[in-house]
Amino acid sequence: MDASYVIYSLAVAWFTYHVFWMAMRIYQFKTFPKTYGQQAFLSLNDLGEAACGQQIEIPAFKIIVPAYMETDVIEGTLYRLSSMNYPRTYYEVHVVTYEDEPVEENNESTTQVVNRVGATINADAKVELVRSIVTPESYDGFFPGNLTASEQHIGKARGLNYALRRIHEDNEHDERRYFIGKLSRTGHLEQVKNILSVFKEGFETTEKHASFIDRYFNPEHPDYIGVLSHTSQLEKLIILTQAAANSNQLDKNSWITLVNFIEREASSFFLQLIQTKQTQFDYPELELNVLDEKDFLYTVMCSVEAQDIAELEEYSLKRESELEQTRPILFKALCGANNNQEIFQLARKFNSRWVLVYDADAEAPMDIMRHLAGRILSEPDVMGFQGPVAPLLNYDSVHSLCRMGGLWMAFWHGAAYPRLLHKKAWAHPLAGTNWCFRIEGFDYQHKLIRDCPYDEKRRRFLLTFDPRQLTEDLETGIRNFSEWSVNAAWHPIVEMEQVPPTAGGLFRQYSRWSLGTLQTMDYILRSHLPLTQKIWYSIYPLRVLFASSGPFITGSLIIAIYMDVMQVDPIFSWWTLFLAFGNFIYIWAFVNTFERYYDMYQQSSAVNFLYKDSTKLIELLNADNVCFTPSYANLINNTF
C-alpha cells in the first residue's frame, strides 16, 4: 500500500475521532442544565426543617480567600461574600494575606484593605463576619508547619495551609475555653480535685483501692468521673497510679482500669500514653508524649489551661448566651446535657469543620451554601464538593487568546469535568476554587467518617496541601483518594472568575498546570489510583499536545494535496474538503459557551460598575445640571 494512503488514512481517522469527541462534549455541554447542572431550589426554611428533623443545626461554613497583591479586587469580593444568601451567623470569611507582600510607597497593602473593609462590614453586620489571617514571613508553608523556618515555600498552598492551621487553633481555643469554664461552673473541677485527694491519701487494703478505682474510673459505673478538664489532673493521676502500683496497693485489674482511663483521656489533651520498661514492682513506667502533628494544638490548649478560672467561667456564660441566639438546637442540647462527657462532645460542635475556597477575583455564587448545606444534611458520607468554574468575569477587557482560553475552560467545566467527578472509582482532582471540603475526619477501619463521637486519637487532618507542588489542588485530591478513598462530590453551581488578561499570563498559567501534572506524576504512579486513571494521567502531555490537532491536521492535508506533496485519488481530495467543514464544530463549542455565559458576565459587570461608580453616579444625578461625558455615557450604555 502506498505510504501516502497510509498517512492520509491515519490523519483522517485521527481527525474523525476529534470531531466525534468534540460532538460528544458539545452534546454534554448543551444538556448540562438538565443533567450535571440540575439543582433543586432550597429555601432557608427547607434547610431549617431538615435540620430540626435531625435535631442538629444547619451546617456552618468558613470561606477562605487567599489574597496576594489583590488590592484592586479584594474589596469588591469581600462585599459580595458578605452578602451571600445564608445566615450571617453560620459562615465566616477568612482572607489570607501575607506579611512579606511587597507594597509600593504610599499604597495600601492587601492586609490593610482587608482590615479596613472588614471593620466596616463587621460593624454593619454586628457579627465578626470578615477575619484577616496574615501569613507570617517565617512560616515554611507546610501544615501545620514551622513558624520560625529559615526557608519558606511560596504559593497558594502556603496561605491555605496557614489558614487551616489558624482555623484549627481558633476552634480549639474557643471550644476548650468553654469546656473548662462550663465544668468549673458545674462543680466538676472541685469533684475531680476531691477524688484525686482521696486517692492520694490511700486506703488500708488493696480491696478498698480496687473498689474506689472501679467506682470512679470504670466507665460502666454510675459514679464514673468522666472527662478531665486539665492536663495537670491527668499528670497527677499518673503519679498517683505509679505510686500506688509501686507500693503494692493495686491489683492487676485496678491497674488495667486506670491505664485504660489514662489512655482515653490522654488523647483529648493531644497526648499519648507510653508504657516504658518494667520496674522492680512488675508495672511499667508511664509517660506522656504529644501526638504527632498535634503539638500546635497542644500549645493552644496549654495557653487556655493557664487562664484564670473565673475568666473561663465568664467566657462560658457569654458563649452560651450567644448560642441561645445563634444555635438554638445546640443550646437546647447543652441545657439538657447530663454529664461532662456530653458537654465535651457538644462543645466540639460549636465551630464549623467545612471550608469553602475562592480566589480573590472570584464571584462566589450567592446560593452556594444553601445547596451545600442541603447536601450535607442529606448525604452523611460526603466529605467534600467541587463545582464548575467559568473564568469569564473580565471577558471584554482581556486579550483575544485569553477570551478563547476562558471560554474553553468554561466549556470543559460544563462538559468533561462533571463526567470525571462522577467516576466513583477514580480520584477527583480539585479545581483550585469553587470547592468545599471537610477539614478533618475520624479514622474507623481505615475509612474517614464525619458524623461520629469526637475522638482525638482517631481524628485525621484531611485537608492539607503540599507547598512544593505547582498544582496543589490536583495533589490534594489524589492524595485524599489514595490514602482515604475520599473524593469531592460534584456540585452544579457555576462560579465566575477572571482569566489572565494577557496572552503571556495565560501561557504561564497553562504551563504551570501542565508542569504541575508532570510534577505529581511520580506520586500518581505510586498511589492507589486505578490503573486506567494512572494511564489517563500518564498520557496527559500527549492529550494536551493533540487536544486541538484536528484543524491542524485538516489544514496540513489540504496543503499537502494541492501542493502535490501527497498523491491521493481525486475523490479523497474532495473528502478532505468535506472534512474541513467539520472544523466548524470547534467554533460551535466556543459559540455555545459564549452564549451561555455572556449574560452572566454582563450582569456581573453591571453590579461591579454600580459598586465602583455609585458615588459618582449619585453626585451626577443630584447635580442641578446633570452632564454625562460621552465616554461615561457610552460606558453606562454598554454596561446595561
Side-chain angles (χ1 to χ4, degrees):
M1 184 180 292
D2 189 88
S4 295
Y5 280 100
V6 174
I7 295 173
Y8 183 82
S9 299
L10 290 174
V12 169
W14 180 251
F15 176 71
T16 304
Y17 160 77
H18 266 273
V19 171
F20 175 77
W21 183 89
M22 280 297 298
M24 286 297 297
R25 290 292 179 263
I26 290 172
Y27 172 77
Q28 291 157 1
F29 185 81
K30 290 291 286 184
T31 58
F32 177 84
K34 296 181 180 179
T35 54
Y36 299 121
Q38 195 170 29
Q39 53 182 291
F41 174 78
L42 280 176
S43 68
L44 293 176
N45 186 58
D46 294 332
L47 289 177
E49 289 180 356
C52 286
Q54 300 180 38
Q55 283 300 294
I56 58 176
E57 296 289 342
I58 65 172
F61 300 93
K62 296 179 186 291
I63 302 174
I64 299 180
V65 183
Y68 180 75
M69 298 183 68
E70 299 285 5
T71 54
D72 292 339
V73 298
I74 193 62
E75 182 172 353
T77 300
L78 286 178
Y79 277 108
R80 284 194 295 271
L81 290 174
S82 64
S83 303
M84 301 286 277
N85 194 0
Y86 206 68
R88 288 185 171 183
T89 54
Y90 283 84
Y91 77 96
E92 301 167 350
V93 181
H94 296 263
V95 185
V96 187
T97 58
Y98 299 82
E99 189 178 49
D100 50 356
E101 175 185 287
V103 182
E104 295 182 6
E105 189 176 354
N106 300 323
N107 286 344
E108 283 185 303
S109 66
T110 307
T111 303
Q112 290 172 322
V113 175
V114 171
N115 289 336
R116 172 174 55 80
V117 177
T120 302
I121 291 173
N122 293 341
D124 292 341
K126 296 181 173 57
V127 294
E128 193 175 3
L129 186 61
V130 176
R131 299 186 180 188
S132 174
I133 297 178
V134 183
T135 307
E137 184 176 358
S138 56
Y139 176 62
D140 63 0
F142 290 91
F143 178 88
N146 182 0
L147 298 180
T148 57
S150 57
E151 295 183 4
Q152 295 81 32
H153 292 274
I154 61 172
K156 183 178 177 181
R158 177 185 176 217
L160 288 173
N161 280 335
Y162 185 70
L164 291 167
R165 173 181 173 133
R166 283 289 305 275
I167 287 172
H168 282 290
E169 289 176 335
D170 291 346
N171 287 353
E172 178 63 30
H173 188 257
D174 173 49
E175 293 158 5
R176 185 74 61 167
R177 289 173 76 193
Y178 172 81
F179 178 66
I180 296 177
K182 178 71 173 181
L183 292 196
S184 179
R185 287 166 46 211
T186 58
H188 182 71
L189 266 65
E190 193 64 29
Q191 180 190 7
V192 172
K193 180 180 178 181
N194 292 336
I195 291 172
L196 294 179
S197 296
V198 173
F199 192 2
K200 182 179 181 181
E201 291 173 4
F203 301 92
E204 299 85 2
T205 64
T206 303
E207 290 75 13
K208 287 188 176 182
H209 255 106
S211 176
F212 174 84
I213 290 167
D214 184 68
R215 178 182 178 184
Y216 291 112
F217 299 100
N218 183 351
E220 297 180 0
H221 198 283
D223 292 334
Y224 178 58
I225 193 174
V227 183
L228 300 180
S229 61
H230 285 74
T231 317
S232 58
Q233 296 172 345
L234 185 66
E235 292 170 344
K236 186 174 182 179
L237 179 60
I238 290 176
I239 294 172
L240 295 175
T241 300
Q242 205 80 63
N246 294 343
S247 302
N248 288 324
Q249 295 177 333
L250 291 183
D251 57 27
K252 285 288 184 180
N253 289 334
S254 296
W255 169 265
I256 292 172
T257 299
L258 285 170
V259 168
N260 287 341
F261 176 83
I262 293 169
E263 283 182 335
R264 285 193 301 270
E265 286 302 293
S267 65
S268 66
F269 295 102
F270 311 108
L271 296 170
Q272 181 179 13
L273 180 66
I274 305 297
Q275 301 186 42
T276 60
K277 61 183 180 181
Q278 295 287 118
T279 67
Q280 57 180 328
F281 302 102
D282 296 327
Y283 289 106
E285 291 286 344
L286 303 179
E287 295 180 2
L288 292 172
N289 290 338
V290 179
L291 289 168
D292 292 341
E293 295 188 333
K294 303 287 180 71
D295 53 334
F296 74 107
L297 294 177
Y298 177 77
T299 301
V300 173
M301 180 203 66
C302 290
S303 69
V304 174
E305 290 184 354
Q307 293 183 16
D308 183 71
I309 288 295
E311 292 181 2
L312 295 176
E313 288 182 357
E314 183 180 351
Y315 181 81
S316 68
L317 285 168
K318 175 188 173 186
R319 200 70 176 89
E320 284 183 358
S321 178
E322 293 172 351
L323 291 170
E324 186 176 12
Q325 300 298 320
T326 60
R327 304 283 196 278
I329 298 176
L330 182 57
F331 175 75
K332 183 179 179 181
L334 276 170
C335 292
N338 296 319
N339 56 61
N340 51 5
Q341 288 177 296
E342 290 183 48
I343 295 171
F344 177 79
Q345 292 293 332
L346 290 170
R348 291 300 184 183
K349 298 180 180 180
F350 282 11
N351 297 288
S352 174
R353 266 70 179 176
W354 290 98
V355 160
L356 288 96
V357 172
Y358 287 102
D359 291 339
D361 59 0
E363 187 170 283
M366 299 295 289
D367 297 331
I368 180 67
M369 284 184 281
R370 287 195 298 168
H371 174 86
L372 296 177
R375 297 276 298 276
I376 291 168
L377 289 172
S378 60
E379 301 175 30
D381 294 331
V382 72
M383 300 293 283
F385 301 91
Q386 171 68 68
V389 177
L392 301 169
L393 202 55
N394 54 342
Y395 181 85
D396 282 343
S397 57
V398 299
H399 191 275
S400 298
L401 287 176
C402 302
R403 296 182 186 182
M404 293 179 66
L407 288 169
W408 179 255
M409 181 61 67
F411 173 76
W412 189 78
H413 272 254
Y417 196 41
R419 294 181 69 250
L420 172 61
L421 265 64
H422 277 77
K423 291 186 176 182
K424 294 184 179 180
W426 280 28
H428 299 170
L430 301 178
T433 183
N434 200 27
W435 55 263
C436 174
F437 235 92
R438 180 90 176 176
I439 63 175
E440 64 191 20
F442 298 89
D443 180 10
Y444 282 87
Q445 299 179 346
H446 300 289
K447 180 181 179 182
L448 280 193
I449 59 177
R450 70 170 208 246
D451 295 327
C452 61
Y454 193 92
D455 185 348
E456 193 63 47
K457 280 191 301 185
R458 298 181 182 274
R459 178 163 73 142
R460 302 291 181 266
F461 297 128
L462 176 62
L463 195 59
T464 63
F465 297 89
D466 187 345
R468 296 165 297 188
Q469 298 289 330
L470 291 172
T471 49
E472 72 290 330
D473 43 4
L474 171 65
E475 188 273 337
T476 297
I478 290 173
R479 173 163 40 84
N480 283 338
F481 180 80
S482 178
E483 296 180 3
W484 299 108
S485 298
V486 169
N487 258 336
W490 174 258
H491 81 71
I493 305 179
V494 179
E495 173 239 323
M496 300 281 285
E497 66 171 16
Q498 296 187 15
V499 69
T502 63
L506 184 71
F507 177 78
R508 286 190 294 272
Q509 184 185 69
Y510 276 72
S511 299
R512 181 175 177 272
W513 291 342
S514 300
L515 289 173
T517 303
L518 294 174
Q519 183 188 34
T520 316
M521 195 59 64
D522 179 59
Y523 178 77
I524 291 173
L525 296 176
R526 290 184 289 104
S527 69
H528 296 133
L529 266 66
L531 178 61
T532 51
Q533 191 172 19
K534 289 182 180 180
I535 295 173
W536 188 77
Y537 275 116
S538 298
I539 62 174
Y540 179 80
L542 294 177
R543 291 190 294 111
V544 172
L545 183 63
F546 294 113
S548 302
S549 60
F552 174 78
I553 290 173
T554 306
S556 300
L557 285 176
I558 293 173
I559 293 171
I561 289 172
Y562 286 95
M563 292 186 66
D564 290 331
V565 176
M566 181 180 293
Q567 300 293 327
V568 293
D569 193 279
I571 191 172
F572 291 111
S573 301
W574 286 103
W575 178 244
T576 302
L577 288 175
F578 176 75
L579 284 179
F581 287 97
N583 288 304
F584 286 111
I585 199 167
Y586 288 86
I587 301 173
W588 191 19
F590 287 98
V591 170
N592 277 328
T593 310
F594 177 86
E595 196 175 56
R596 175 177 296 172
Y597 290 115
Y598 194 68
D599 286 344
M600 294 173 61
Y601 158 70
Q602 287 184 312
Q603 291 171 11
S604 299
S605 297
V607 171
N608 291 332
F609 175 82
L610 289 174
Y611 166 71
K612 293 178 180 178
D613 296 84
S614 58
T615 303
K616 186 174 181 180
L617 278 170
I618 292 171
E619 289 176 355
L620 286 169
L621 293 172
N622 289 337
D624 293 334
N625 297 312
V626 179
C627 181
F628 292 94
T629 63
S631 61
Y632 198 70
N634 184 57
L635 180 60
I636 295 174
N637 182 59
N638 289 337
T639 300
F640 297 100

